[in-house]
Amino acid sequence: MIIVICNPHLEMYNNRIIYISGVHGVGKDTICSILEKRLGLKHLSSSKILKWDEYSINLKNKRVSSVEETQNSFVENFKSYLEGDLIYILDGHFALLTATYEIEDIPMFVYDEIKPLIIILITLAPNVIISRLRKRDSMLYDVNIVNELQERERGNAYNVGRKLGIDVVEINNTDIEKSIELIENVINKLNL
């Protein structure tokens, strides 16, 4: 499914970043790695930029003690990862699960800094996400929490898109190859 909410203003966004968002376990990293190879784009990971390993002893634990602290670190480090006129695919989030299992929104100042050209929101059925996280990280999450987190992610993606005046494209990742093709078509239409 593709949903477009508004027209991008490409001249305002010189970072040349395609923002791929979604909750942990929807396949962002896999999608970004394939797109990087196929389209010659550079993949950046928000976790790497904010230096996630400095915030968590257990790297499999995707909960954060302070969303604001991690996002300040992200903004501090972000520009140092950008090189010349490259086009980037940046994977990240619009909401995170805290250490106390509460959902917290990522502050708007982060997206003001990123200045993405477009937001591509990856979604998936909560039970599939839980199954993937169990296999990948040996972590078991409650279906209600995963569902609520994904709904917050979705709502925030559209709010940020409206505030920045950029398109939001939502893709349900039930078929990885089809998802990749849809995203490739979206990126090609940007005429970068």
Side-chain angles (χ1 to χ4, degrees), residues 7 38 43 50-51 62 85 98-99 104 110 173 183:
N7 293 322
R38 286 191 188 174
H43 174 206
L50 70 80
K51 300 180 181 175
K62 301 298 183 181
D85 290 336
T98 68
E104 194 171 321
V110 174
N173 187 26
I183 295 169

Side-chain angles (χ1 to χ4, degrees), residues 106-176:
I106 305 250
M108 185 64 197
F109 73 83
V110 174
Y111 310 103
D112 288 333
E113 183 71 21
I114 294 170
K115 296 179 181 67
L117 296 167
I118 193 167
I119 295 167
I120 298 174
L121 173 66
I122 309 297
T123 60
L124 199 54
N127 60 328
V128 177
I129 293 169
I130 290 169
S131 175
R132 287 181 177 186
L133 291 174
R134 188 178 318 133
K135 285 179 189 171
R136 185 183 80 183
D137 302 334
S138 301
M139 301 287 292
L140 183 60
Y141 290 92
D142 179 88
V143 70
N144 294 321
I145 290 174
V146 171
N147 188 52
E148 186 180 344
L149 181 60
Q150 184 161 248
E151 288 306 312
R152 275 286 270 287
E153 183 84 13
R154 177 183 285 121
N156 291 341
Y158 286 104
N159 286 336
V160 169
R162 274 191 287 280
K163 287 178 182 176
L164 294 177
I166 61 172
D167 288 347
V168 175
V169 175
E170 183 174 340
I171 295 176
N172 188 295
N173 187 26
T174 53
D175 177 332
I176 189 76

Side-chain angles (χ1 to χ4, degrees), residues 11-184:
E11 67 279 357
M12 293 173 52
Y13 301 95
N14 56 7
N15 284 346
R16 299 169 59 96
I17 292 171
I18 297 153
Y19 194 70
I20 308 279
S21 71
V23 300
H24 295 289
V26 296
K28 293 183 307 294
D29 190 55
T30 301
I31 287 171
C32 289
S33 295
I34 293 168
L35 288 171
E36 181 177 42
K37 290 176 186 144
R38 286 191 188 174
L39 300 178
L41 308 174
K42 182 157 175 126
H43 174 206
L44 295 175
S45 166
S46 291
S47 295
K48 182 179 177 185
I49 291 171
L50 70 80
K51 300 180 181 175
W52 178 248
D53 55 338
E54 293 177 11
Y55 289 94
S56 179
I57 295 169
N58 177 0
L59 296 179
K60 292 181 179 182
N61 179 348
K62 301 298 183 181
R63 294 175 289 140
V64 297
S65 57
S66 171
V67 169
E68 187 165 342
E69 183 181 334
T70 59
Q71 297 313 302
N72 282 331
S73 176
F74 173 87
V75 167
E76 223 174 83
N77 299 327
F78 174 67
K79 292 286 185 186
S80 68
Y81 282 84
L82 303 180
E83 307 167 21
D85 290 336
L86 296 177
I87 300 167
Y88 295 91
I89 304 169
L90 174 63
D91 72 67
H93 306 279
F94 288 99
L96 292 170
L97 199 57
T98 68
T100 57
Y101 289 95
E102 294 185 41
I103 297 169
E104 194 171 321
D105 299 339
I106 305 250
M108 185 64 197
F109 73 83
V110 174
Y111 310 103
D112 288 333
E113 183 71 21
I114 294 170
K115 296 179 181 67
L117 296 167
I118 193 167
I119 295 167
I120 298 174
L121 173 66
I122 309 297
T123 60
L124 199 54
N127 60 328
V128 177
I129 293 169
I130 290 169
S131 175
R132 287 181 177 186
L133 291 174
R134 188 178 318 133
K135 285 179 189 171
R136 185 183 80 183
D137 302 334
S138 301
M139 301 287 292
L140 183 60
Y141 290 92
D142 179 88
V143 70
N144 294 321
I145 290 174
V146 171
N147 188 52
E148 186 180 344
L149 181 60
Q150 184 161 248
E151 288 306 312
R152 275 286 270 287
E153 183 84 13
R154 177 183 285 121
N156 291 341
Y158 286 104
N159 286 336
V160 169
R162 274 191 287 280
K163 287 178 182 176
L164 294 177
I166 61 172
D167 288 347
V168 175
V169 175
E170 183 174 340
I171 295 176
N172 188 295
N173 187 26
T174 53
D175 177 332
I176 189 76
E177 192 53 43
K178 187 173 181 182
S179 296
I180 296 290
E181 288 174 18
L182 288 169
I183 295 169
E184 283 178 322

